[in-house]
Amino acid sequence: MTDKPVVSLRNLSFTYPGATSPVFRDFSLSVGGSEFVAIVGGSGVGKSTILRIASGLIKAESGTVEIAIAKEPTRRRRALVFQDGRLMPWRTVAQNTALGLEGLALSEAEKTRRIADVLALVNLSDMADRWPHQLSGGQVQRIGIARALAVKPDVLLMDEPFSAVDAMTRRHLQTELVRIWQQSGTAIIFVTHDIDEAAFLADRIIVMGDSPARIVNETTVPVDRDLRRDSQDLSRYADSVAGALDFQI
Amino acid sequence: MITGTAHLRRVALGVAGLLTFLLLWKATESFEWVRRGTMPDPLLVPAAAMDELRSGRFLPAIGSSLIHYFWGLGLGTVMGFIVGALAATIRSFDDFQRYLARVLRPIPPLAWVVFAIAWFQVSHAGAAFVISIGVFWVNYFATYTAVQNVDPRYYELAKAFGQGNYLARSMKVTLPAAMPGVMGGVRTGVGQAWMTLIAAELLGVPGLGQEMNSAAGVGAYEAVVVYMLAISAVYALSDILFATVEGRLLRWRP
């Protein structure tokens, strides 16, 4: 962990309705102020559920979610990026981006400025008036990221956001995400099933496994970000994570 | 993409269909395939239209029909939408109205004419009341179904971005997501209202239906056709108007 924790998940346990045993038990994770943490694990270990608990969409059976930074009327402390992009088809790109700003103590001018800023950040300024059906899969994902960044969150929660796009687009979006993260300085918890993706993006990779699930491996990736795409070292870290996962499967 | 030639062909076929209908109609009248004197002559309809226009009854009849049409349509649409939306979003209200809806729904709007006359006499209000009942049920079911079918992932999205309370959910998800289904109901209601209107007017409320009934009573069947065509024209106009509004509201659809 690089900084003082901005978000701390402590001893989270969760049982799906109707299930007899918890999907994970006593799961704890702290993420620093501008840290990029990836969570990997097999299907059904509850990776997405952890994000949903962290985002406040569902409640854990036990445990707490603590966000170190106090609430502010002009920001939201956490924002979720969905696997399917999930834009509202009846809203334009700009209106979708504004969703989280509605209800915040912001003037119309400030809202407009924020929307323009985040659309510029994801290189989609010229798409502001488009409808979602006019966008490609990669553009939908980038708008999903812009919508989340518009609320200036302390932590960005990303649920397999690139799993539904083709390999070329995924590679491009990964590079874009690193640039956006470096510019925004937001902490990120990124759930993925792709080990190479986790190794390319993250400062730290958490491997979930076992039943009930827990953290079975934690790997720090100290490789320089500018060298990551072709780094042999990166493969070594990815292999280490894969080894931990294989052991579970 | 429809080419110019294909478009012309479609128009030509449509005109051919109309002409075939007119020919069959004229043949039925000329060869007396139905009881003599009961089939209007299509060639006399334009003259009958001029007579009705000159009589001073035609335009007031349309105006009168439109008054109870719009009141009945408006009331039925708004009430059907509100009750349908509340039933679909508030579980206790849904339970509360469930059996009542099952009891009242099968009763045809025209069955309420007796009470409409008793409560409102033969008046615009009575006709509007009867019209509104049919329109209400169309909109109630369309709205109920549309709201229930809203993709729950949008509610999750709204909640994740701080729009989770009932009002925010309703305005930012339920209403826009259900709008295509709701508009489908409104459009059906626009047609349903005309059907009920004419039936209600046959019982004495002033308007196109009553004029049609009077003309039929004296065997002026060409005049009956004039009023039938007037209904068709007014309905077509209201449908075009509605399609324009719908296109504007749902411009986000592919």
Side-chain angles (χ1 to χ4, degrees):
Chain A
M1 199 169 62
T2 55
D3 288 317
K4 190 179 157 206
V6 66
V7 58
S8 300
L9 313 178
R10 293 190 204 282
N11 304 112
L12 298 180
S13 298
F14 186 83
T15 307
Y16 290 122
T20 50
S21 59
V23 61
F24 50 80
R25 183 184 285 157
D26 292 332
F27 179 91
S28 295
L29 174 68
S30 290
V31 179
S34 54
E35 192 183 14
F36 198 133
V37 173
I39 301 178
V40 297
S43 297
V45 295
K47 305 185 296 291
S48 296
T49 306
I50 284 169
L51 281 198
R52 275 169 168 66
I53 292 170
S55 69
L57 280 178
I58 55 174
K59 285 201 184 318
E61 231 166 75
S62 60
T64 56
V65 177
E66 288 171 19
I67 297 175
I69 297 162
K71 271 188 182 175
E72 288 178 42
T74 59
R75 309 171 58 189
R76 297 190 191 278
R77 295 190 294 174
R78 48 200 169 181
L80 189 57
V81 178
F82 293 88
Q83 187 176 1
D84 55 4
R86 207 169 299 185
L87 302 186
M88 291 176 169
W90 53 87
R91 285 177 171 236
T92 62
V93 163
Q95 289 166 343
N96 266 290
T97 310
L99 180 67
L101 302 180
E102 292 159 15
L104 293 183
L106 295 168
S107 66
E108 285 307 310
E110 175 62 14
K111 281 182 191 170
T112 307
R113 197 181 62 76
R114 282 227 200 152
I115 292 165
D117 286 351
V118 290
L119 287 180
L121 193 63
V122 298
N123 289 330
L124 287 174
S125 296
D126 54 342
M127 298 278 175
D129 296 325
R130 297 274 182 98
W131 298 105
H133 72 83
Q134 297 171 315
L135 306 176
S136 68
Q139 288 170 333
V140 166
Q141 283 305 340
R142 282 196 278 166
I143 299 301
I145 295 168
R147 176 178 59 197
L149 289 173
V151 301
K152 294 188 182 288
D154 299 311
V155 59
L156 194 58
L157 306 160
M158 307 186 77
D159 186 11
E160 300 193 42
F162 307 145
S163 63
V165 295
D166 62 82
M168 283 295 290
T169 308
R170 186 182 312 143
R171 197 177 154 90
H172 176 68
L173 287 174
Q174 289 164 353
T175 310
E176 284 283 283
L177 178 61
V178 170
R179 178 185 62 78
I180 290 165
W181 167 67
Q182 286 171 329
Q183 286 183 31
S184 67
T186 306
I188 295 181
I189 303 179
F190 189 100
V191 162
T192 178
H193 59 264
D194 183 337
I195 297 164
D196 293 326
E197 180 171 71
F200 175 71
L201 292 172
D203 296 317
R204 190 157 52 108
I205 304 170
I206 304 291
V207 180
M208 285 182 72
D210 228 340
S211 181
R214 60 187 177 83
I215 295 174
V216 294
N217 180 274
E218 197 168 329
T219 301
T220 304
V221 187
V223 181
D224 188 318
R225 290 203 169 267
D226 295 337
L227 307 172
R228 284 199 181 193
R229 189 56 87 188
D230 303 309
S231 165
Q232 291 301 313
D233 283 347
L234 203 63
S235 309
R236 193 154 47 80
Y237 293 108
D239 289 345
S240 156
V241 171
L245 265 176
D246 283 345
F247 182 71
Q248 292 303 314
I249 298 165
Chain B
M1 183 81 184
I2 299 170
T3 62
T5 317
H7 181 68
L8 271 178
R9 185 173 171 274
R10 291 179 71 178
V11 171
L13 275 173
V15 172
L18 278 173
L19 288 175
T20 306
F21 174 76
L22 282 171
L23 279 172
L24 275 173
W25 177 4
K26 180 62 184 167
T28 307
E29 186 265 338
S30 299
F31 298 116
E32 296 183 358
W33 291 341
V34 294
R35 192 159 59 87
R36 188 174 191 173
T38 60
M39 178 58 76
D41 183 343
L43 299 179
L44 296 181
V45 170
M50 293 310 294
D51 286 346
E52 288 304 313
L53 270 172
R54 284 196 208 99
S55 74
R57 291 191 306 269
F58 186 74
L59 291 178
I62 289 181
S64 176
S65 284
L66 286 177
I67 289 173
H68 42 260
Y69 174 75
F70 281 116
W71 277 108
L73 179 66
L75 188 69
T77 303
V78 170
M79 291 306 294
F81 170 77
I82 291 173
V83 178
L86 289 176
T89 53
I90 302 174
R91 174 68 64 84
S92 53
F93 182 72
D94 192 19
D95 293 340
F96 176 76
Q97 59 86 52
R98 183 182 303 267
Y99 298 133
L100 186 61
R102 283 189 189 166
V103 170
L104 295 179
R105 173 64 190 102
I107 301 170
L110 291 179
W112 291 94
V113 164
V114 177
F115 289 108
I117 292 171
W119 296 335
F120 304 105
Q121 288 78 52
V122 176
S123 64
H124 285 306
F129 170 72
V130 174
I131 292 163
S132 71
I133 289 172
V135 174
F136 171 87
W137 289 113
V138 168
N139 283 280
Y140 165 88
F141 280 111
T143 304
Y144 186 88
T145 308
V147 171
Q148 287 226 313
N149 286 338
V150 172
D151 190 335
R153 293 177 311 148
Y154 293 123
Y155 291 123
E156 189 184 52
L157 167 64
K159 190 179 175 188
F161 283 89
Q163 318 295 335
N165 67 55
Y166 182 82
L167 188 63
R169 279 161 54 98
S170 301
M171 298 309 292
K172 289 169 187 182
V173 177
T174 312
L175 192 59
M179 193 52 74
V182 171
M183 293 306 275
V186 176
R187 193 168 200 167
T188 309
V190 168
Q192 158 96 31
W194 272 115
M195 286 183 253
T196 319
L197 173 137
I198 298 305
E201 286 179 353
L202 290 174
L203 299 163
V205 185
L208 290 167
Q210 192 199 45
E211 289 301 327
M212 210 188 301
N213 204 22
S214 304
V218 295
Y221 291 112
E222 281 83 9
V224 173
V225 173
V226 169
Y227 286 105
M228 289 168 78
L229 291 175
I231 291 165
S232 173
V234 176
Y235 174 74
L237 275 176
S238 58
D239 198 52
I240 289 168
L241 187 69
F242 180 85
T244 309
V245 174
E246 187 184 39
R248 176 94 192 129
L249 278 174
L250 303 180
R251 65 189 187 282
W252 50 268
R253 289 200 299 189

